[in-house]
Amino acid sequence: MHSLVELNAVELASAIRSRNVSCLEVMGAYLAHIDRLNPQVNALVAMRDHGILLDEASALDRSLDKGQAPGLLYGLPQAPKDILPVAGMVTTKGSPIFKDTVPNEDAISFARMRDAGALFIGRSNSPEFGLGGHTYNPVYGITRNAFRPQLSAGGSSGGAGSAVALHLLPMADGSDMMGSLRTPAAFNNVFGLRTTPGLVPHGAAIQNAHPEFSVSGPMARNIPDLSLLLSVMAGKNILQEGQPQPLTLATYQQELQQDFSQTRIGWLGDLGGHLPMEQGVIPLCEAALTHFTALGAKTEALTPDFDFNALWRAWIDLRSLTVATANKDLYDNPATRALLKPEAVWEIERGLGLDKASIDKARQTQQAWKETVQTLFTTYDYLILPSAQVFPFAAETHWPDRIGNQSMDTYHRWMQAVIPATMAGLPTLAAPAGFSPEGYPMGIQIMAAPWRESALLRLGHAYDQASGYARIASPLLA
């Protein structure tokens, strides 16, 4: 790798601000690295013309020469996830219906990234409408795992996860409804943060920017970089009061320090046997827990007293209702319905078929789960689950239809582990947890009470320093 591509995002941003490196040099290094590795994984799609990007980087350098104050992401290459709109760039949502759609406005979080000086070089790949935990679509094809290209990169932010792990981007945005930031983080050995709903606007206009389940958040190789992008996306410094500030890496690391000797962590495991797990996942995650013990935290195994089958039923009803509401027009039109993948049609038809009693029952179950979680947080500071129930699987597989001897009855049943956080609206940090004997990555989900992102980042940083998992690089980078 070129030395500039090796730098972390905070280090790279600091080097640009101090004029130790030019935006043009940064862009040139990244484009060369992308040309070499992206064809192996297909993480970045709809790449913009290299010459135009180099000209835009040079223009940023000239602005610095004239005394312009650089934003926090000044000169950093970014590739917004291909789900939300970007002005002047194709936004396909992974669907042939939108393969030629070029919006004229940015999603709010993308506008904030652009205003902070980021240069948009292309898009990160996503499955159709972000549905499914594996990134493939008929427009751009399959995105592959950063460590084992024959395997899945996860989804739906699979392009972002693979790109960050391979240093194709310094960090990246993603979104998460049903583990879309968490599964790719686990599969690619990086960090992904599902944010509290409402912290980061998730849409192109304020009125639709705060949906209940789907949220925007960052992915990165370390917590300072994650904090940097999150502060820009949220429009405020997550670690301090007030607006984003030009912090150095040393300052970030100082802000992230905390004593965890009084911290209590609840380990949820497989939810008392409710979650089927591929062999090796639980022992690997339990080994990762020892790093919290080394920090002085107390970790206890627990199984919440709750009907998790009822929670699953409530979730798939509310999810189908959400998907149907957003895509009914596409379903009603025979021409566009024919272009929808079967899983999307299934979701929409389920959602349209729900009656008021079913929806009310799902809401009641969700509220009961929220109350259960609130009670747990009176005893525990954090709750932890595996990020995924399976290790990365063959990239040509649509989705795992079996875990062990248990068959999966829906295309997303293999991702039940992400439901507790989504249904309770919890900020959740997906963190690396090591590798299987075959070298397949896995991760853990660290959940905190709503709006406790800063506390979550501090624990994640300490865990990262103690474990070292995230500093294990892909063989493709050798």
Side-chain angles (χ1 to χ4, degrees):
M1 284 192 296
H2 190 286
S3 59
L4 291 179
V5 177
E6 290 186 87
L7 292 177
N8 293 327
V10 174
E11 295 171 328
L12 190 60
S14 298
I16 291 173
R17 296 177 70 86
S18 62
R19 310 304 302 277
N20 290 328
V21 65
S22 70
C23 298
L24 179 62
E25 291 172 317
V26 170
M27 182 59 70
Y30 267 94
L31 291 179
H33 188 64
I34 290 167
D35 286 344
R36 183 171 72 88
L37 285 185
N38 192 54
Q40 299 184 53
V41 293
N42 192 39
L44 303 182
V45 296
M47 287 290 295
R48 298 177 63 213
D49 179 79
H50 284 24
I52 293 175
L53 290 171
L54 293 170
D55 287 344
E56 290 180 356
S58 293
L60 289 185
D61 287 327
R62 291 193 295 272
S63 294
L64 281 182
D65 290 338
K66 296 176 182 178
Q68 176 179 324
L72 287 178
L73 306 184
Y74 201 85
L76 298 189
Q78 289 291 274
K81 183 178 176 181
D82 187 25
I83 289 291
L84 295 177
V86 175
M89 295 179 66
V90 64
T91 302
T92 74
K93 302 181 182 181
S95 169
I97 297 171
F98 300 107
K99 65 183 179 65
D100 299 316
T101 300
V102 179
N104 56 15
E105 64 177 343
D106 289 329
I108 298 170
S109 60
F110 296 161
R112 290 174 174 175
M113 292 165 62
R114 199 193 292 270
D115 289 344
L119 289 175
F120 292 168
I121 63 173
R123 308 302 301 262
S124 64
N125 202 19
S126 170
E128 182 179 314
F129 303 130
L131 298 177
H134 175 30
T135 298
Y136 66 96
N137 62 63
V139 182
Y140 297 120
I142 300 170
T143 291
R144 298 177 177 273
N145 191 282
F147 282 76
R148 297 287 189 277
Q150 72 273 24
L151 304 178
S152 169
S156 61
S157 306
S162 185
V164 169
L166 290 175
H167 296 242
L168 306 182
L169 298 170
M171 71 283 203
D173 71 274
S175 58
D176 187 297
M177 183 181 189
M178 192 178 175
S180 290
L181 279 160
R182 292 167 279 170
T183 305
F187 281 13
N188 293 283
N189 196 49
V190 297
F191 292 93
L193 180 63
R194 175 185 168 83
T195 54
T196 304
L199 177 66
V200 176
H202 185 69
I206 291 295
Q207 59 263 31
N208 68 352
H210 297 159
E212 178 182 9
F213 295 123
S214 189
V215 302
S216 294
M219 303 184 82
R221 295 183 296 272
N222 60 63
I223 299 302
D225 291 354
L226 200 74
S227 304
L228 172 66
L229 183 53
L230 177 61
S231 292
V232 171
M233 296 175 72
K236 61 181 179 181
N237 193 314
I238 299 301
L239 300 177
Q240 298 177 343
E241 294 297 324
Q243 294 300 309
Q245 300 171 16
L247 301 176
T248 65
L249 179 61
T251 307
Y252 264 110
Q253 291 174 334
Q254 181 179 357
E255 290 293 330
L256 287 165
Q257 297 304 313
Q258 184 175 322
D259 176 20
F260 294 99
S261 59
Q262 302 300 315
T263 299
R264 296 191 67 183
I265 295 173
W267 164 238
L268 304 182
D270 61 4
L271 297 178
H274 173 74
L275 299 174
M277 291 282 176
E278 184 175 347
Q279 186 175 357
V281 170
I282 290 293
L284 192 66
C285 293
E286 288 180 339
L289 296 180
T290 62
H291 299 293
F292 296 103
T293 305
L295 296 173
K298 184 178 181 181
T299 303
E300 303 173 12
L302 78 143
T303 301
D305 182 14
F306 201 82
D307 183 348
F308 290 106
N309 288 317
L311 186 65
W312 171 254
R313 291 192 297 270
W315 164 248
I316 61 172
D317 282 352
L318 294 176
R319 174 183 168 91
S320 292
L321 178 65
T322 301
V323 174
T325 301
N327 298 289
K328 183 178 183 299
D329 290 346
L330 300 178
Y331 180 82
D332 288 342
N333 182 336
T336 52
R337 183 194 305 179
L339 296 174
L340 295 173
K341 71 178 183 179
E343 293 84 357
V345 173
W346 178 82
E347 291 276 18
I348 295 168
E349 290 179 345
R350 281 195 83 256
L352 295 177
L354 292 170
D355 57 21
K356 184 177 184 301
S358 298
I359 297 170
D360 289 345
K361 184 176 181 181
R363 290 292 184 194
Q364 291 166 5
T365 301
Q366 181 189 18
Q367 182 57 36
W369 172 240
K370 285 184 176 181
E371 292 171 1
T372 297
V373 170
Q374 289 171 358
T375 301
L376 290 175
F377 280 129
T378 63
T379 301
Y380 300 98
D381 301 293
Y382 304 92
L383 302 172
I384 294 181
L385 270 168
S387 289
Q389 295 164 241
V390 298
F391 290 102
F393 48 88
E396 287 72 23
T397 302
H398 290 297
W399 42 270
D401 59 5
R402 179 172 296 274
I403 300 178
N405 60 3
Q406 185 167 332
S407 62
M408 303 290 102
D409 57 356
T410 73
Y411 79 102
H412 48 22
R413 188 67 178 247
W414 62 278
M415 297 186 291
Q416 288 183 77
V418 302
I419 297 312
T422 298
M423 284 290 269
L426 305 180
T428 305
L429 177 67
F435 296 78
S436 72
E438 297 78 18
Y440 298 176
M442 181 45 62
I444 54 173
Q445 303 175 74
I446 311 170
M447 298 171 278
W451 307 107
R452 296 198 70 225
E453 273 81 1
S454 61
L456 200 56
L457 292 171
R458 290 184 172 92
L459 179 64
H461 181 64
Y463 168 79
D464 182 29
Q465 299 304 299
S467 69
Y469 297 134
R471 291 184 287 284
I472 299 174
S474 164
L476 274 64
L477 293 172

